[in-house]
Amino acid sequence: MKAMRLESIGNLFVREIETPVSGPDDLLVRVEACGICGTDRHLLHGEFPSTPPVTLGHEFCGIVEAVGTDVKGFKLGARITGDPNISCGRCPQCQAGRINLCRNLKAIGISRDGGFADYVIVPQKQAFEIPLDMPAAHGAFCEPLACCLHGIDIARIKAGSSVVVLGGGVIGLLTVQRARLAGATTVILSTRQESKRKLAEELGATASVDPSSGDILAQIAGPDGLVPGGADVVIECAGVAETVEQSTRLAKAGGTVVILGVMAQGETVRIEPFDILFRELRVLGSFINPFTHRRAADLVASGVINVEKLISRTITLSEAPEVIRNPPAAGEVKVLVMATAG
């Protein structure tokens, strides 16, 4: 089969490799769609931990082609979405229910072969069935939405809350929609790209701002801003130093800041601890998707979350290395590798 292999840091190629064989507890899945994520670019440049050589791709869905002898509840021909994050279930973090912080965490597409391939092996406990009548492309959004759900969960958004979302990529635009579903009556998206600001408002944002058009603190939290004094919740979704630094200044006193975007490993930002102390901010990290993948799959299947508008283009597997080697194009939200690209 064909697979896109990270052979070493900086070296990404499509190769012919052996089709994997499912173990007793595994499903062999024919990949239909797999999303390109910013983390894939971090992996290419060695900015996120991985174990090359490995097939990348952690946002995937596909059709069950074979099942292991101990698999129960999955039939051949079913469509599944895979939760890539595999916890051990035995370490202290797992035993405490914090499976995303597992000391022995492994991830499909990062530390074991993933979905940028014709076939991928998925342990049955990581597989979640989704409808066959749902567009296959939509199934690739279950994993990023599951990560957003965890961020929204820990943000504790209440009905009537004000929320600022920093970053207009796929995570930011999914977070906008989920914040509205959580009951936020004010949801403001900040991004430089006009097309993403427009899209955010189509998807439920009550306002959007261009941080390059003036002082973002004044635009949002100033006396004449959209939420004078700051927002109840600020969710950083861009994964860049500038927006992380903005996040604490845009929250109101007693507010919550959630860091959901992924910055490069080793990168640092300037934060004023006195400001966090004096205004008693809750500053939280949100890492991957503990126990949220089933909910994400159900939300995508229901159509309550609009993912169709987030698809910028579809490509073939052979085109994927070049896309990942380069920054996203202006206005691009999500690029999907499809078994048959449109």
Side-chain angles (χ1 to χ4, degrees):
M1 70 170 188
K2 290 183 178 179
M4 185 172 67
R5 305 281 288 170
L6 178 64
E7 297 184 345
S8 60
I9 301 306
N11 294 299
L12 186 65
F13 303 97
V14 175
R15 303 295 195 199
E16 289 279 347
I17 65 172
E18 290 294 322
T19 300
V21 177
S22 56
D25 294 310
D26 297 330
L27 310 176
L28 176 66
V29 176
R30 174 172 51 83
V31 178
E32 296 180 291
C34 189
I36 291 178
C37 173
T39 299
D40 294 314
R41 293 184 171 95
H42 286 313
L43 291 166
L44 173 63
H45 299 297
E47 298 167 345
F48 192 96
S50 66
T51 54
V54 67
T55 300
L56 298 187
H58 56 276
E59 302 177 356
F60 60 87
C61 75
I63 302 298
V64 177
E65 296 259 314
V67 298
T69 55
D70 294 338
V71 170
K72 293 178 173 57
F74 292 96
K75 296 180 179 179
L76 299 182
R79 174 180 284 151
I80 67 99
T81 167
D83 174 359
N85 301 300
I86 305 170
S87 57
C88 72
R90 299 182 303 275
C91 73
Q93 295 286 7
C94 285
Q95 291 294 305
R98 296 184 289 265
I99 60 172
N100 58 321
L101 304 180
C102 172
R103 292 180 179 177
N104 307 301
L105 189 70
K106 304 295 182 184
I108 299 170
I110 295 175
S111 54
R112 55 183 285 172
D113 289 341
F116 287 132
D118 294 330
Y119 294 91
V120 62
I121 295 293
V122 182
Q124 64 173 326
K125 72 172 186 173
Q126 304 301 126
F128 298 87
E129 190 167 354
I130 53 178
L132 286 168
D133 61 1
M134 183 178 86
H138 292 189
F141 285 89
C142 296
E143 193 277 340
L145 179 57
C147 294
C148 295
L149 292 186
H150 180 48
I152 293 288
D153 287 348
I154 65 176
R156 301 177 190 169
I157 295 172
K158 298 177 181 178
S161 293
S162 57
V163 177
V164 170
V165 178
L166 300 174
V170 66
I171 297 299
L173 293 168
L174 288 171
T175 297
V176 163
Q177 297 183 67
R178 185 61 185 85
R180 288 306 303 270
L181 285 176
T185 50
T186 299
V187 177
I188 303 161
L189 180 106
S190 172
T191 181
R192 288 184 172 85
Q193 298 189 45
E194 182 180 4
S195 62
K196 292 181 177 180
R197 295 196 301 273
K198 180 180 177 182
L199 180 56
E201 293 185 14
E202 291 175 8
L203 295 172
T206 56
S208 62
V209 298
D210 177 359
S212 64
S213 67
D215 182 354
I216 188 174
L217 183 60
Q219 291 185 68
I220 294 178
D224 298 318
L226 294 165
V227 280
D232 295 306
V233 175
V234 178
I235 304 180
E236 196 287 323
C237 298
V240 296
E242 181 182 15
T243 49
V244 173
E245 292 175 359
Q246 291 168 356
S247 63
T248 57
R249 296 187 292 120
L250 292 170
K252 73 176 187 180
T256 296
V257 174
V258 176
I259 306 300
L260 188 54
V262 179
M263 290 181 62
Q265 187 178 26
E267 193 171 356
T268 60
V269 300
R270 295 177 300 173
I271 295 290
E272 185 180 353
F274 180 81
D275 181 56
I276 296 171
L277 169 72
F278 191 76
R279 296 195 297 123
E280 200 171 49
L281 301 180
R282 294 173 67 236
V283 181
L284 306 168
S286 177
F287 182 57
I288 59 175
N289 59 341
F291 305 115
T292 56
H293 203 94
R294 176 72 269 170
R295 289 163 55 201
D298 290 344
L299 279 169
V300 172
S302 74
V304 171
I305 297 290
N306 189 326
V307 298
E308 183 64 33
K309 288 189 174 184
L310 305 182
I311 302 172
S312 300
R313 57 189 171 118
T314 60
I315 62 173
T316 63
L317 184 62
S318 63
E319 297 172 285
E322 187 65 18
V323 172
I324 293 175
R325 290 185 191 114
N326 290 286
E332 191 169 86
V333 180
K334 178 59 70 176
V335 177
L336 298 177
V337 175
M338 302 291 293
T340 304

